[in-house]
Amino acid sequence: MRDFSQDHSALALNTATLGHNLDGYGAGWSPERVIDACAARGYGGITFWRREIGGQAVQIGQAVRAAGLRVTGLCRTPLLVGPGAPDDVTGDFRASIEMAAGLGADSLTIVVGGVQEGTKGLGESLKIVRDTVARMADEAQSAGVMLGIEPLHPVYAGDRSCLVSVRDAVDMIEEIDHAAVGLDVDVYHVWWDRSLVDQLARLRADQIAGYHICDWLAETRDVLLDRGMMGDGVADLTAIRGAVEATGWRGFCEVEIFSKHWWSRPPEEVLDLCAARFRELC
Ligand code: ZN
């Protein structure tokens, strides 16, 4: 495993950590200010949310690289199935690929969506997800963007993600079998999964699209907006990274903390603490 204790250049910021994925939270920093703050602190990359980018993808991507960082990712495609999916999934999916390409982002995260109306259980919805991702994979590859399928914690299965296990995600990646389709591993969603090591062992390094870090608080008050800072919870962060790195993957570790608590703190403090905890604990 890599040793980050003296060097956190493998750390990337997901801007949701500063509240940028929801209205009314965080300090409202511009992308430019986020870029400067990350560069000043030695972060290696930034993952943005579409709502921050608007029509400025190319300019923002250039600004990130000019500051010596990478655009590690973009969040995210539309939900592909279930109650939150838009009428025009294909069109919105395409728009997200184009934005990721404009940014020069390494990957585009897919949160797949919940259970399709009129169906029960997960099976039919998972087939819709698989077929939609397979249909869009060539476009992503042409745009130079890796699609990262992210399984979420089972508590979200109804409305946000019928994909709740790493096993089902790896099955789907194998079925699609496309160079532009891989897995996003998010500590928040997989920390409890005792089969994680065995499932990740089914993947190659180039099938890991992203690795997202935070912690699971033992007394979680809100399953969406009470993620923990690394070290404050019960996830075995080094064991999980070890399982991801056992594939040979050596990419960025992206801190992604949706938390009303941390969004109420000064962004400078949050960025400093993330870097310190990353060096100590991740
Ligand atoms: Zn994530």
Side-chain angles (χ1 to χ4, degrees), residues 46-168:
I46 303 177
T47 289
F48 293 100
W49 287 69
R50 283 167 75 185
R51 62 201 305 282
E52 300 170 77
I53 303 301
Q56 304 295 306
V58 172
Q59 294 92 324
I60 291 171
Q62 286 171 346
V64 170
R65 285 181 287 281
L69 287 80
R70 289 181 74 89
V71 182
T72 39
L74 178 67
C75 294
R76 54 181 170 68
T77 66
L79 303 182
L80 310 182
V81 69
D87 291 336
D88 182 11
V89 167
T90 300
D92 198 47
F93 201 141
R94 184 168 291 136
S96 67
I97 290 172
E98 287 169 358
M99 183 180 284
L103 281 165
D106 294 329
S107 70
L108 174 63
T109 291
I110 302 175
V111 173
V112 304
V115 175
Q116 179 72 358
E117 194 174 40
T119 74
K120 305 283 186 184
L122 305 179
E124 289 304 313
S125 303
L126 285 169
K127 282 183 197 161
I128 293 170
V129 170
R130 180 197 62 199
D131 293 347
T132 304
V133 174
R135 196 173 70 236
M136 300 302 290
D138 281 344
E139 286 187 39
Q141 188 171 35
S142 300
V145 175
M146 179 91 174
L147 300 175
I149 298 173
E150 182 163 328
L152 302 197
H153 190 284
V155 73
Y156 301 114
D159 62 346
R160 284 176 187 264
S161 180
C162 58
L163 185 67
V164 296
S165 71
V166 175
R167 184 198 62 202
D168 281 348

Side-chain angles (χ1 to χ4, degrees), residues 9 29 36-37 41 53 56 69 88-89 104 107 123 125 127 129 140 148 156 171 187 232 240 243 253 258 268 275:
S9 58
W29 280 9
D36 289 346
R41 287 169 174 77
I53 303 301
Q56 304 295 306
L69 287 80
D88 182 11
V89 167
S107 70
S125 303
K127 282 183 197 161
V129 170
Y156 301 114
D171 284 351
V187 165
D232 288 350
I240 296 170
C253 305
F258 303 160
E268 296 91 342

Side-chain angles (χ1 to χ4, degrees), residues 150 186 212 256:
E150 182 163 328
D186 188 319
H212 307 163
E256 184 184 37

